[in-house]
Amino acid sequence: MKADLAALAYLVSGVLFILALRGLSSPVTSRAGNNRGMLGMAIAVVTTLWVANVVDQLTWGMIVVGIGIGGLIGAIIARRIAMTQMPQLVAAFHSLVGLAAVLVAGAALYSPSAYGIGSEGAIHTQSLIEMSLGLAIGAITFAGSLIAFAKLNGNMSGAPIILPARHLLNLLIFAAIVALIVFFVMHQPYWAFWTIAGLSFVFGITMIIPIGGADMPVVISMLNSYSGWAAAGIGFTLENTALIITGALVGSSGAILSYIMCKGMNRSFISVILGGFGGEVAVAGKAETRPVKQGSADDAAFIMKNAGSVIIVPGYGMAVAQAQHAVREMADKLKKEGVKVSYAIHPVAGRMPGHMNVLLAEANVPYDEVFELEDINSAFAQTDVAYVIGANDVTNPAAKSNPQSPIFGMPVLDVEKAKTVLFVKRGMGSGYAGIENELFYRDNTMMLFGDAKKMTEEIVKALG
Amino acid sequence: MEAIDPIVFRFSIFVLAIFVGYYVVWSVTPALHTPLMSVTNAISSVIVVGALIAVSVAVGSSVESSATSWISKGLGFFALILASVNIFGGFLVTSRMLAMYRKKEKK
């Protein structure tokens, strides 16, 4: 009876989680949705405590202290993290879920009767398979997410690290993991379990290190997906509906985001995962000394003040320079002058899906001025000024015109159709893809060299 | 007719949940993709259920030796801390982000 009621309670949790995701269809419903998610989690925790029937004080102490320590750390991080650090925070959080899955699988191995999956040394075959999957995927998620964190946080270079014979190496490790899982399911020795964990950990590392820093949006989405599948694996082991439902939701969510990111770069998922792209500026010999039109903050302010409409195109550079507040101030001044201001977001601008939107929201930019590529691309032709700040490859027309270009086929923002294009960059360096951008040399383009934040602040001053 | 193994029902729920996830996530507006990532991370910490069961393993009374019971309790304790960081951190940071989204004020 207790088990039945608990199962129904877990179902309620799962439904609340579904509603939490559904709330994200619009900012208006999103906050209520998030609250439902929290309620679902609370129900799951309370139900588990009810079923576990804990009597001794030491265990209660461990539970309270565990939740207390974790909760405190989580709350402090949530309050203090800067929005520009969201990509690395998400990566770090994924690693925690992965590790938690490994530890819970371990706990199930050492106390199977507590989980109802058999007895020590005699765990049900089905449970062993489920446990192995949760374990392996959890360890891969943990290690891979740590590497992603390091690359995003600057602890590790964003350049791909290519090991010799890396495809063969990965294949061997993968084969070893599969073989060990089969062996473990047949004979259940502890050493096999922990070796699977160790090898999966290594595999997570070798899988992520060859992937370049700006492909991280895909990587984080992929690891998001994996953390879901790991949770589902544990969910099957524990026969817990809330975990199974949640694992499926998170798994599909991550997979969909990965797909959207790959489409936004026009690269296949496989090519991103195999790595090796980007990081080096491979253009040798061609020292491009064609002249570019350069301008100052005063020039830019004058042009924009007298424009009818301006579209701002933010990119990773704006995030790095923390220029989003200055950009909004500039937009406010322009709006006072009667200029129509909107923002164009490319799906892979930044280092994670929706990154630019969060930064702009943080800077108090109203979200109905912010548009996705598909919705705003046709507006460039009627726009006077495109203000490109910290973005490069996402505006490169070679993606449309040059079949030899590595970015050919990638959807880009049609900034060249605007009457004037202003590029805010630190120098003439190329973007992530390591290629030239023809736009810099056009007549209607003016380069504004300098730090994104400083340049924008100077423009704000010049607008008076 | 023979009884159906419960795993089949669990698998059915899993499959249906994948479809639900597919349709629900496609309806998320791109502007909220970052909160989507942080909230999916928070809900995946429902693995805390497994951690709580682990910590609650009764020492001595069950069939296993007390040594392995303590190992499970220990692993569970660490998993509980990790999951709690994610739960509180994930939901709170999502909350913080969602509060930032504002429409143009109607003057």
Side-chain angles (χ1 to χ4, degrees):
Chain A
M1 179 61 183
K2 207 176 190 182
D4 291 340
L5 285 176
L8 284 172
Y10 289 132
L11 175 65
V12 171
S13 288
V15 169
L16 286 168
F17 291 156
I18 293 174
L19 291 176
L21 296 192
R22 184 73 184 110
L24 290 172
S25 58
S26 134
V28 174
T29 52
S30 58
R31 301 179 71 179
N34 195 38
N35 292 337
R36 292 199 189 106
M38 293 194 238
L39 179 62
M41 186 61 73
I43 291 179
V45 170
V46 168
T47 305
T48 310
L49 289 174
W50 177 55
V51 169
N53 211 6
V54 179
V55 282
D56 71 286
Q57 291 208 319
L58 175 61
T59 306
W60 268 116
M62 286 172 83
I63 292 175
V64 171
V65 169
I67 297 182
I69 296 178
L72 192 63
I73 297 176
I76 293 178
I77 294 177
R79 283 212 55 193
R80 295 174 50 171
I81 194 95
M83 287 298 116
T84 42
Q85 293 169 299
M86 274 309 294
Q88 45 270 57
L89 178 68
V90 169
F93 277 173
H94 286 154
S95 73
L96 298 184
V97 179
L99 185 57
V102 170
L103 296 175
V104 172
L109 177 69
Y110 287 95
S111 297
S113 56
Y115 288 94
I117 56 177
S119 54
E120 230 177 302
I123 305 177
H124 308 148
T125 304
Q126 195 175 284
S127 307
L128 288 169
I129 299 176
E130 294 154 356
M131 217 159 78
S132 308
L133 286 174
L135 168 74
I137 302 176
I140 293 175
T141 306
F142 169 60
S145 299
L146 280 181
I147 302 292
F149 170 81
K151 289 203 180 216
L152 288 165
N153 207 32
N155 303 85
M156 230 176 119
S157 143
I161 297 179
I162 319 275
L163 297 169
R166 71 177 199 278
H167 294 306
L168 181 62
L169 181 69
N170 282 341
L171 236 60
L172 284 175
I173 299 179
F174 186 74
I177 294 174
V178 173
L180 269 170
I181 290 181
V182 172
F183 182 77
F184 174 66
V185 171
M186 294 201 300
H187 302 288
Q188 309 189 29
Y190 288 164
W191 69 262
F193 180 88
W194 293 112
T195 313
I196 294 173
L199 282 177
S200 304
F201 182 89
V202 171
F203 188 71
I205 296 178
T206 59
M207 202 170 62
I208 305 298
I209 56 178
I211 304 179
D215 280 341
M216 285 299 127
V218 179
V219 170
I220 313 180
S221 311
M222 180 186 80
L223 291 169
N224 183 327
S225 186
Y226 286 7
S227 67
W229 305 129
I234 301 295
F236 276 102
T237 312
L238 271 49
E239 301 182 1
N240 184 294
T241 326
L243 264 170
I244 293 175
I245 293 178
T246 308
L249 290 176
V250 176
S252 359
S253 176
I256 289 176
L257 288 175
S258 304
Y259 169 77
I260 295 177
M261 292 300 106
C262 286
K263 281 239 353 237
M265 299 189 295
N266 195 47
R267 290 180 56 214
S268 82
F269 185 71
I270 304 294
S271 99
V272 172
I273 296 310
L274 291 180
F277 185 91
E280 307 110 40
V281 181
V283 188
K286 277 207 317 167
E288 268 291 359
T289 48
R290 275 189 289 165
V292 290
K293 235 204 280 185
Q294 239 182 291
S296 68
D298 289 317
D299 299 325
F302 179 76
I303 294 175
M304 285 197 283
K305 206 195 300 208
N306 295 309
S309 51
V310 171
I311 297 184
I312 301 176
V313 180
Y316 185 53
M318 182 189 84
V320 169
Q322 295 258 31
Q324 62 270 31
H325 302 278
V327 168
R328 200 254 316 147
E329 277 181 49
M330 181 182 86
D332 282 344
K333 293 219 164 160
L334 288 172
K335 283 193 280 188
K336 269 218 214 70
E337 305 275 348
V339 181
K340 172 159 172 264
V341 179
S342 26
Y343 300 77
I345 312 288
H346 188 279
V348 292
R351 286 286 180 277
M352 73 183 286
H355 195 193
M356 291 296 118
N357 304 76
V358 169
L359 293 174
L360 291 176
E362 181 194 33
N364 273 313
V365 172
Y367 64 80
D368 44 354
E369 287 175 8
V370 180
F371 299 92
E372 296 300 306
L373 182 150
E374 308 87 53
D375 300 325
I376 198 168
N377 234 359
S378 49
F380 280 107
Q382 288 100 38
T383 303
D384 296 315
V385 181
Y387 183 80
V388 182
I389 171 169
N392 186 343
D393 293 330
V394 301
T395 62
N396 195 333
K400 292 180 283 196
S401 54
N402 182 2
Q404 262 81 47
S405 171
I407 61 169
F408 182 65
M410 176 175 127
V412 289
L413 293 163
D414 296 331
V415 297
E416 78 276 10
K417 297 228 176 83
K419 288 210 200 55
T420 309
V421 182
L422 299 172
F423 258 100
V424 181
K425 283 184 98 246
R426 270 172 301 174
M428 280 303 285
S430 60
Y432 178 62
I435 54 178
E436 284 285 347
N437 190 338
E438 271 304 313
L439 281 190
F440 299 161
Y441 306 103
R442 293 214 183 164
D443 276 332
N444 62 339
T445 299
M446 184 189 291
M447 306 295 293
L448 303 165
F449 290 121
D451 169 80
K453 183 161 177 233
K454 272 218 215 67
M455 176 59 67
T456 311
E457 283 170 346
E458 278 167 32
I459 296 177
V460 170
K461 267 210 235 66
L463 283 169
Chain B
M1 214 179 99
E2 64 177 81
I4 305 177
D5 188 328
I7 179 105
V8 176
F9 292 116
R10 273 176 235 133
F11 187 67
S12 310
I13 294 177
F14 182 63
V15 169
L16 291 175
I18 293 179
F19 275 96
V20 170
Y22 179 83
Y23 289 110
V24 169
V25 172
W26 269 116
S27 77
V28 172
T29 170
L32 294 178
H33 277 166
T34 299
L36 173 67
M37 288 206 118
S38 60
V39 88
T40 46
N41 180 69
I43 64 177
S44 63
S45 309
V46 78
I47 199 153
V48 74
V49 164
L52 286 169
I53 297 177
V55 178
S56 310
V57 164
V59 183
S61 60
S62 67
V63 270
E64 284 98 22
S65 75
S66 65
T68 49
S69 297
W70 276 112
I71 295 179
S72 292
K73 286 173 92 83
L75 292 173
F77 180 68
F78 282 114
L80 181 60
I81 296 180
L82 296 173
S84 303
V85 172
N86 257 6
I87 291 173
F88 282 84
F91 281 118
L92 286 174
V93 87
T94 306
S95 221
R96 193 180 143 204
M97 277 193 278
L98 293 176
M100 294 177 188
Y101 286 80
R102 243 165 277 241
K103 263 197 132 133
K104 239 196 296 268
E105 263 110 56
K106 309 280 180 205
K107 294 268 195 291

